[in-house]
């Protein structure tokens, strides 16, 4: 019952509209299926860092320190804005042949890293894990730290599946539009604008 209740809540939360989903949709549509999946995997696996922080209690320290929270919030917002500016300035034509090669591998790795960092530096996600995971800890079942670690891993696993699916189907939709280079450029600008707006929102949010 403990795991079933947590899993149902985790799936609903992951599917609900939010910054991660919005970034993933916009990037998948503008860049492609493989790129969307790579970014989605990065976002999902970023949850492991929040799990570790929750287990170690570091999240509680961040929540208790207004200065630490503000610094992390500004850093996360600036990172998203930087990603958005890079996308808006992009003039590259997407290669729909999706040929394997060094440049393609680097691109996918870069997008994976972007998703990983974008999730890991988001203080709201850190505080969400701190508030969400302990609600499903059963003191009669042993170590709270072990339970939080297992629940966080389960959350990450379902996020991997859902975010990968969102990235894949967003990329498939984007391929229908990107056959025109002008449309591809505008899709990059739209995706970049989404990142910039989310970064500004993160910095301005109280």
């Amino acid at each position: 019952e403990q795991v079933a209740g947590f899993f149902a809540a985790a799936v609903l939360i992951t599917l609900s509209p939010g910054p991660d989903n919005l970034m993933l949709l916009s990037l998948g549509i503008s860049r492609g299926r493989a790129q969307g999946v790579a970014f989605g995997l990065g976002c999902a696996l970023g949850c492991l860092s929040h799990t570790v922080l929750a287990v170690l209690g570091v999240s509680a320290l961040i929540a208790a320190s207004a200065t630490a929270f503000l610094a992390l919030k500004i850093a996360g917002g600036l990172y998203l804005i930087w990603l958005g500016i890079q996308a808006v300035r992009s003039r590259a034509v997407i290669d729909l042949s999706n040929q394997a090669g060094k440049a393609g591998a680097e691109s996918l790795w870069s997008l994976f890293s972007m998703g990983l960092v974008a999730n890991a530096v988001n203080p709201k996600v850190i505080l969400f894990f701190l508030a969400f995971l302990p609600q499903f800890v059963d003191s009669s079942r042993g170590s709270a730290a072990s339970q939080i670690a297992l629940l966080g891993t389960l959350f990450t696993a379902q996020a991997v599946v859902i975010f990968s699916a969102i990235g894949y189907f967003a990329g498939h939709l984007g391929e229908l539009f990107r056959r025109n280079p002008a449309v591809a450029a505008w899709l990059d600008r739209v995706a970049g604008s989404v990142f910039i707006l989310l970064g500004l929102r993160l910095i301005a949010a109280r």
Side-chain angles (χ1 to χ4, degrees):
E1 294 81 4
Q2 179 189 16
V3 173
F6 173 81
F7 184 77
V11 170
L12 289 175
I13 290 169
T14 305
L15 286 172
S16 64
D20 282 345
N21 291 23
L22 193 55
M23 288 190 295
L24 179 55
L25 280 171
S26 59
L27 191 141
I29 289 175
S30 68
R31 300 294 177 85
R33 287 180 292 184
Q35 289 78 5
V37 171
F39 185 81
L41 286 174
C43 285
L45 292 177
C47 295
L48 289 177
S49 67
H50 303 308
T51 300
V52 172
L53 291 176
V55 170
L56 296 177
V58 176
S59 294
L61 296 177
I62 294 174
S65 171
T67 302
F69 179 80
L70 178 62
L72 188 60
K73 185 174 70 166
I74 292 175
L78 291 176
Y79 179 70
L80 292 180
I81 292 171
W82 179 80
L83 292 180
I85 292 173
Q86 297 303 307
V88 169
R89 295 176 59 189
S90 174
R91 294 294 183 271
V93 176
I94 308 285
D95 180 10
L96 295 179
S97 65
N98 212 14
Q99 295 178 352
K102 183 176 181 180
E106 289 177 347
S107 175
L108 294 179
W109 174 251
S110 175
L111 289 168
F112 172 82
S113 301
M114 284 167 50
L116 189 69
V117 175
N119 183 284
V121 301
N122 190 335
K124 291 190 174 182
V125 181
I126 294 176
L127 297 183
F128 165 76
F129 266 68
L130 179 64
F132 180 66
L133 296 182
Q135 295 182 36
F136 294 88
V137 172
D138 186 345
S139 58
S140 66
R141 295 180 180 271
S143 168
S146 298
Q147 291 183 59
I148 289 176
L150 290 172
L151 292 173
T153 302
L154 178 60
F155 189 99
T156 301
Q158 60 84 32
V160 164
V161 175
I162 292 176
F163 281 169
S164 295
I166 292 174
Y168 180 86
F169 288 110
H172 181 70
L173 179 63
E175 286 185 358
L176 300 178
F177 299 104
R178 285 197 313 278
R179 301 184 187 282
N180 184 328
V183 174
W186 276 107
L187 287 173
D188 264 345
R189 294 188 183 103
V190 170
S193 298
V194 169
F195 276 73
I196 292 172
L197 290 174
L198 289 174
L200 293 172
R201 178 184 175 187
L202 179 59
I203 292 174
R206 295 184 178 181

